mmCIF file of all heavy atoms in Angstrom:
data_model
loop_
_atom_site.group_PDB
_atom_site.id
_atom_site.type_symbol
_atom_site.label_atom_id
_atom_site.label_comp_id
_atom_site.label_asym_id
_atom_site.label_seq_id
_atom_site.Cartn_x
_atom_site.Cartn_y
_atom_site.Cartn_z
ATOM 1 N N SER H 1 7.299 -28.846 12.189
ATOM 2 C CA SER H 1 6.752 -28.461 13.488
ATOM 3 C C SER H 1 5.313 -28.947 13.574
ATOM 4 O O SER H 1 4.550 -28.866 12.606
ATOM 5 C CB SER H 1 6.808 -26.942 13.666
ATOM 6 O OG SER H 1 8.137 -26.543 13.914
ATOM 7 N N VAL H 2 4.957 -29.455 14.735
ATOM 8 C CA VAL H 2 3.590 -29.906 14.973
ATOM 9 C C VAL H 2 2.904 -28.769 15.721
ATOM 10 O O VAL H 2 3.144 -28.546 16.908
ATOM 11 C CB VAL H 2 3.574 -31.222 15.784
ATOM 12 C CG1 VAL H 2 2.147 -31.680 16.023
ATOM 13 C CG2 VAL H 2 4.391 -32.293 15.062
ATOM 14 N N GLU H 3 2.105 -28.024 14.969
ATOM 15 C CA GLU H 3 1.527 -26.799 15.529
ATOM 16 C C GLU H 3 0.341 -26.355 14.688
ATOM 17 O O GLU H 3 0.313 -26.570 13.476
ATOM 18 C CB GLU H 3 2.587 -25.689 15.534
ATOM 19 C CG GLU H 3 2.178 -24.410 16.213
ATOM 20 C CD GLU H 3 1.815 -24.606 17.666
ATOM 21 O OE1 GLU H 3 2.727 -24.708 18.517
ATOM 22 O OE2 GLU H 3 0.607 -24.676 17.965
ATOM 23 N N GLN H 4 -0.616 -25.729 15.341
ATOM 24 C CA GLN H 4 -1.720 -25.101 14.630
ATOM 25 C C GLN H 4 -1.200 -23.749 14.161
ATOM 26 O O GLN H 4 -0.986 -22.848 14.966
ATOM 27 C CB GLN H 4 -2.928 -24.946 15.560
ATOM 28 C CG GLN H 4 -3.468 -26.283 16.012
ATOM 29 C CD GLN H 4 -4.427 -26.161 17.192
ATOM 30 O OE1 GLN H 4 -4.329 -25.245 17.995
ATOM 31 N NE2 GLN H 4 -5.330 -27.107 17.299
ATOM 32 N N ALA H 5 -0.978 -23.650 12.869
ATOM 33 C CA ALA H 5 -0.375 -22.437 12.319
ATOM 34 C C ALA H 5 -0.980 -22.145 10.949
ATOM 35 O O ALA H 5 -1.485 -23.053 10.279
ATOM 36 C CB ALA H 5 1.139 -22.613 12.192
ATOM 37 N N GLN H 6 -0.893 -20.904 10.563
ATOM 38 C CA GLN H 6 -1.371 -20.507 9.243
ATOM 39 C C GLN H 6 -0.625 -21.321 8.189
ATOM 40 O O GLN H 6 0.610 -21.390 8.201
ATOM 41 C CB GLN H 6 -1.123 -19.016 9.049
ATOM 42 C CG GLN H 6 -1.698 -18.463 7.776
ATOM 43 C CD GLN H 6 -1.474 -16.962 7.681
ATOM 44 O OE1 GLN H 6 -0.522 -16.421 8.240
ATOM 45 N NE2 GLN H 6 -2.352 -16.295 6.968
ATOM 46 N N GLY H 7 -1.365 -21.967 7.314
ATOM 47 C CA GLY H 7 -0.751 -22.745 6.243
ATOM 48 C C GLY H 7 -0.284 -24.127 6.649
ATOM 49 O O GLY H 7 0.383 -24.802 5.867
ATOM 50 N N SER H 8 -0.634 -24.566 7.851
ATOM 51 C CA SER H 8 -0.204 -25.898 8.268
ATOM 52 C C SER H 8 -0.915 -26.963 7.437
ATOM 53 O O SER H 8 -1.987 -26.742 6.879
ATOM 54 C CB SER H 8 -0.456 -26.119 9.755
ATOM 55 O OG SER H 8 -1.839 -26.084 10.028
ATOM 56 N N THR H 9 -0.295 -28.139 7.358
ATOM 57 C CA THR H 9 -0.824 -29.273 6.603
ATOM 58 C C THR H 9 -1.588 -30.191 7.544
ATOM 59 O O THR H 9 -1.068 -30.558 8.599
ATOM 60 C CB THR H 9 0.342 -30.059 5.947
ATOM 61 O OG1 THR H 9 1.050 -29.187 5.069
ATOM 62 C CG2 THR H 9 -0.161 -31.267 5.188
ATOM 63 N N ASN H 10 -2.782 -30.551 7.157
ATOM 64 C CA ASN H 10 -3.546 -31.536 7.912
ATOM 65 C C ASN H 10 -2.766 -32.849 7.861
ATOM 66 O O ASN H 10 -2.299 -33.264 6.801
ATOM 67 C CB ASN H 10 -4.925 -31.698 7.271
ATOM 68 C CG ASN H 10 -5.832 -32.615 8.045
ATOM 69 O OD1 ASN H 10 -5.439 -33.704 8.460
ATOM 70 N ND2 ASN H 10 -7.072 -32.186 8.207
ATOM 71 N N ILE H 11 -2.602 -33.499 8.990
ATOM 72 C CA ILE H 11 -1.796 -34.721 9.043
ATOM 73 C C ILE H 11 -2.316 -35.782 8.072
ATOM 74 O O ILE H 11 -1.540 -36.585 7.557
ATOM 75 C CB ILE H 11 -1.683 -35.263 10.479
ATOM 76 C CG1 ILE H 11 -0.567 -36.301 10.557
ATOM 77 C CG2 ILE H 11 -3.013 -35.793 10.976
ATOM 78 C CD1 ILE H 11 -0.153 -36.664 11.958
ATOM 79 N N ARG H 12 -3.612 -35.781 7.782
ATOM 80 C CA ARG H 12 -4.166 -36.744 6.819
ATOM 81 C C ARG H 12 -3.626 -36.502 5.422
ATOM 82 O O ARG H 12 -3.590 -37.419 4.597
ATOM 83 C CB ARG H 12 -5.687 -36.667 6.795
ATOM 84 C CG ARG H 12 -6.339 -37.113 8.087
ATOM 85 C CD ARG H 12 -7.828 -36.927 8.011
ATOM 86 N NE ARG H 12 -8.096 -35.523 7.726
ATOM 87 C CZ ARG H 12 -9.277 -34.946 7.774
ATOM 88 N NH1 ARG H 12 -10.326 -35.643 8.085
ATOM 89 N NH2 ARG H 12 -9.427 -33.664 7.527
ATOM 90 N N ASP H 13 -3.223 -35.258 5.133
ATOM 91 C CA ASP H 13 -2.737 -34.905 3.799
ATOM 92 C C ASP H 13 -1.214 -34.924 3.695
ATOM 93 O O ASP H 13 -0.651 -34.537 2.671
ATOM 94 C CB ASP H 13 -3.246 -33.504 3.423
ATOM 95 C CG ASP H 13 -4.769 -33.439 3.412
ATOM 96 O OD1 ASP H 13 -5.401 -34.447 3.040
ATOM 97 O OD2 ASP H 13 -5.310 -32.380 3.795
ATOM 98 N N LEU H 14 -0.571 -35.368 4.741
ATOM 99 C CA LEU H 14 0.896 -35.391 4.770
ATOM 100 C C LEU H 14 1.442 -36.447 3.816
ATOM 101 O O LEU H 14 0.996 -37.595 3.825
ATOM 102 C CB LEU H 14 1.372 -35.692 6.197
ATOM 103 C CG LEU H 14 2.875 -35.834 6.395
ATOM 104 C CD1 LEU H 14 3.585 -34.514 6.108
ATOM 105 C CD2 LEU H 14 3.159 -36.289 7.823
ATOM 106 N N HIS H 15 2.378 -36.023 3.002
ATOM 107 C CA HIS H 15 3.079 -36.952 2.114
ATOM 108 C C HIS H 15 4.545 -36.971 2.537
ATOM 109 O O HIS H 15 5.149 -35.918 2.718
ATOM 110 C CB HIS H 15 2.959 -36.516 0.652
ATOM 111 C CG HIS H 15 1.545 -36.512 0.165
ATOM 112 N ND1 HIS H 15 0.869 -37.664 -0.137
ATOM 113 C CD2 HIS H 15 0.682 -35.496 -0.038
ATOM 114 C CE1 HIS H 15 -0.359 -37.365 -0.519
ATOM 115 N NE2 HIS H 15 -0.496 -36.051 -0.456
ATOM 116 N N THR H 16 5.086 -38.156 2.719
ATOM 117 C CA THR H 16 6.486 -38.274 3.107
ATOM 118 C C THR H 16 7.281 -38.865 1.961
ATOM 119 O O THR H 16 6.740 -39.480 1.059
ATOM 120 C CB THR H 16 6.639 -39.168 4.350
ATOM 121 O OG1 THR H 16 6.117 -40.460 4.053
ATOM 122 C CG2 THR H 16 5.932 -38.578 5.553
ATOM 123 N N ASP H 17 8.559 -38.674 2.034
ATOM 124 C CA ASP H 17 9.497 -39.207 1.050
ATOM 125 C C ASP H 17 10.427 -40.142 1.806
ATOM 126 O O ASP H 17 11.138 -39.701 2.720
ATOM 127 C CB ASP H 17 10.271 -38.043 0.424
ATOM 128 C CG ASP H 17 11.273 -38.486 -0.635
ATOM 129 O OD1 ASP H 17 11.659 -39.673 -0.667
ATOM 130 O OD2 ASP H 17 11.682 -37.617 -1.422
ATOM 131 N N ILE H 18 10.433 -41.409 1.455
ATOM 132 C CA ILE H 18 11.249 -42.374 2.190
ATOM 133 C C ILE H 18 12.747 -42.132 2.007
ATOM 134 O O ILE H 18 13.550 -42.748 2.689
ATOM 135 C CB ILE H 18 10.894 -43.841 1.858
ATOM 136 C CG1 ILE H 18 11.162 -44.151 0.389
ATOM 137 C CG2 ILE H 18 9.461 -44.141 2.253
ATOM 138 C CD1 ILE H 18 11.044 -45.633 0.059
ATOM 139 N N ASN H 19 13.095 -41.211 1.124
ATOM 140 C CA ASN H 19 14.503 -40.871 0.941
ATOM 141 C C ASN H 19 14.921 -39.661 1.779
ATOM 142 O O ASN H 19 16.055 -39.215 1.691
ATOM 143 C CB ASN H 19 14.790 -40.607 -0.539
ATOM 144 C CG ASN H 19 14.550 -41.848 -1.366
ATOM 145 O OD1 ASN H 19 15.053 -42.926 -1.046
ATOM 146 N ND2 ASN H 19 13.742 -41.723 -2.403
ATOM 147 N N LYS H 20 13.990 -39.132 2.566
ATOM 148 C CA LYS H 20 14.286 -37.974 3.406
ATOM 149 C C LYS H 20 14.317 -38.370 4.872
ATOM 150 O O LYS H 20 13.738 -39.369 5.281
ATOM 151 C CB LYS H 20 13.228 -36.880 3.206
ATOM 152 C CG LYS H 20 13.320 -36.181 1.878
ATOM 153 C CD LYS H 20 12.358 -35.022 1.835
ATOM 154 C CE LYS H 20 12.513 -34.249 0.537
ATOM 155 N NZ LYS H 20 11.615 -33.082 0.504
ATOM 156 N N LYS H 21 14.969 -37.509 5.661
ATOM 157 C CA LYS H 21 14.993 -37.642 7.115
ATOM 158 C C LYS H 21 14.142 -36.510 7.672
ATOM 159 O O LYS H 21 14.184 -35.392 7.156
ATOM 160 C CB LYS H 21 16.422 -37.524 7.647
ATOM 161 C CG LYS H 21 17.401 -38.522 7.036
ATOM 162 C CD LYS H 21 18.794 -38.359 7.601
ATOM 163 C CE LYS H 21 19.425 -37.042 7.174
ATOM 164 N NZ LYS H 21 20.837 -36.910 7.571
ATOM 165 N N TYR H 22 13.406 -36.807 8.734
ATOM 166 C CA TYR H 22 12.486 -35.827 9.309
ATOM 167 C C TYR H 22 12.800 -35.559 10.774
ATOM 168 O O TYR H 22 13.088 -36.487 11.527
ATOM 169 C CB TYR H 22 11.037 -36.308 9.187
ATOM 170 C CG TYR H 22 10.568 -36.393 7.757
ATOM 171 C CD1 TYR H 22 10.718 -37.560 7.025
ATOM 172 C CD2 TYR H 22 9.994 -35.294 7.132
ATOM 173 C CE1 TYR H 22 10.304 -37.644 5.707
ATOM 174 C CE2 TYR H 22 9.580 -35.362 5.814
ATOM 175 C CZ TYR H 22 9.736 -36.544 5.098
ATOM 176 O OH TYR H 22 9.332 -36.614 3.794
ATOM 177 N N ALA H 23 12.713 -34.292 11.149
ATOM 178 C CA ALA H 23 12.779 -33.896 12.555
ATOM 179 C C ALA H 23 11.423 -33.312 12.894
ATOM 180 O O ALA H 23 10.977 -32.342 12.277
ATOM 181 C CB ALA H 23 13.880 -32.863 12.783
ATOM 182 N N LEU H 24 10.744 -33.944 13.859
ATOM 183 C CA LEU H 24 9.426 -33.489 14.296
ATOM 184 C C LEU H 24 9.589 -32.682 15.572
ATOM 185 O O LEU H 24 10.105 -33.193 16.569
ATOM 186 C CB LEU H 24 8.515 -34.683 14.558
ATOM 187 C CG LEU H 24 8.293 -35.644 13.390
ATOM 188 C CD1 LEU H 24 7.483 -36.845 13.844
ATOM 189 C CD2 LEU H 24 7.605 -34.931 12.244
ATOM 190 N N VAL H 25 9.154 -31.431 15.546
ATOM 191 C CA VAL H 25 9.305 -30.544 16.697
ATOM 192 C C VAL H 25 7.971 -30.428 17.422
ATOM 193 O O VAL H 25 6.952 -30.066 16.825
ATOM 194 C CB VAL H 25 9.783 -29.140 16.275
ATOM 195 C CG1 VAL H 25 9.981 -28.249 17.503
ATOM 196 C CG2 VAL H 25 11.059 -29.217 15.438
ATOM 197 N N PHE H 26 8.001 -30.755 18.714
ATOM 198 C CA PHE H 26 6.834 -30.619 19.589
ATOM 199 C C PHE H 26 7.159 -29.558 20.623
ATOM 200 O O PHE H 26 8.219 -29.590 21.245
ATOM 201 C CB PHE H 26 6.524 -31.945 20.289
ATOM 202 C CG PHE H 26 6.065 -33.019 19.340
ATOM 203 C CD1 PHE H 26 6.980 -33.880 18.760
ATOM 204 C CD2 PHE H 26 4.725 -33.157 19.028
ATOM 205 C CE1 PHE H 26 6.577 -34.870 17.884
ATOM 206 C CE2 PHE H 26 4.302 -34.154 18.154
ATOM 207 C CZ PHE H 26 5.222 -35.007 17.582
ATOM 208 N N GLY H 27 6.226 -28.638 20.843
ATOM 209 C CA GLY H 27 6.482 -27.514 21.729
ATOM 210 C C GLY H 27 5.934 -27.681 23.127
ATOM 211 O O GLY H 27 5.346 -28.706 23.484
ATOM 212 N N ASN H 28 6.126 -26.645 23.887
ATOM 213 C CA ASN H 28 5.665 -26.536 25.265
ATOM 214 C C ASN H 28 4.159 -26.771 25.351
ATOM 215 O O ASN H 28 3.406 -26.383 24.460
ATOM 216 C CB ASN H 28 6.029 -25.133 25.769
ATOM 217 C CG ASN H 28 5.515 -24.836 27.138
ATOM 218 O OD1 ASN H 28 4.377 -24.419 27.301
ATOM 219 N ND2 ASN H 28 6.365 -25.037 28.126
ATOM 220 N N GLU H 29 3.723 -27.395 26.446
ATOM 221 C CA GLU H 29 2.312 -27.743 26.628
ATOM 222 C C GLU H 29 1.378 -26.542 26.596
ATOM 223 O O GLU H 29 0.211 -26.686 26.225
ATOM 224 C CB GLU H 29 2.121 -28.485 27.960
ATOM 225 C CG GLU H 29 2.743 -29.847 28.010
ATOM 226 C CD GLU H 29 4.152 -29.878 28.551
ATOM 227 O OE1 GLU H 29 4.850 -28.833 28.502
ATOM 228 O OE2 GLU H 29 4.583 -30.934 29.011
ATOM 229 N N VAL H 30 1.849 -25.371 26.954
ATOM 230 C CA VAL H 30 0.997 -24.176 26.965
ATOM 231 C C VAL H 30 1.278 -23.281 25.760
ATOM 232 O O VAL H 30 0.360 -22.844 25.063
ATOM 233 C CB VAL H 30 1.187 -23.373 28.281
ATOM 234 C CG1 VAL H 30 0.397 -22.074 28.250
ATOM 235 C CG2 VAL H 30 0.782 -24.220 29.483
ATOM 236 N N LYS H 31 2.533 -23.014 25.499
ATOM 237 C CA LYS H 31 2.917 -22.055 24.457
ATOM 238 C C LYS H 31 3.108 -22.672 23.078
ATOM 239 O O LYS H 31 3.179 -21.958 22.086
ATOM 240 C CB LYS H 31 4.188 -21.331 24.878
ATOM 241 C CG LYS H 31 4.020 -20.517 26.138
ATOM 242 C CD LYS H 31 5.318 -19.867 26.553
ATOM 243 C CE LYS H 31 5.131 -19.102 27.847
ATOM 244 N NZ LYS H 31 6.363 -18.501 28.323
ATOM 245 N N GLY H 32 3.237 -23.985 22.999
ATOM 246 C CA GLY H 32 3.436 -24.645 21.707
ATOM 247 C C GLY H 32 4.849 -24.436 21.178
ATOM 248 O O GLY H 32 5.779 -24.119 21.920
#
């Protein structure tokens, strides 16, 4: 989930695994 949340990871520190598939969730413009 792309959200400002407790314990979220700074995108600069994101590590991906090329053997995994990712679903990126973007929320409502007001409620997230």
Side-chain angles (χ1 to χ4, degrees):
S1 286
V2 180
E3 186 59 79
Q4 296 166 332
Q6 186 177 28
S8 64
T9 300
N10 185 313
I11 195 167
R12 294 176 303 190
D13 300 325
L14 177 65
H15 297 285
T16 59
D17 181 341
I18 63 171
N19 297 309
K20 288 187 176 182
K21 304 180 292 187
Y22 294 90
L24 302 174
V25 182
F26 293 91
N28 175 275
E29 292 92 337
V30 175
K31 298 177 182 178

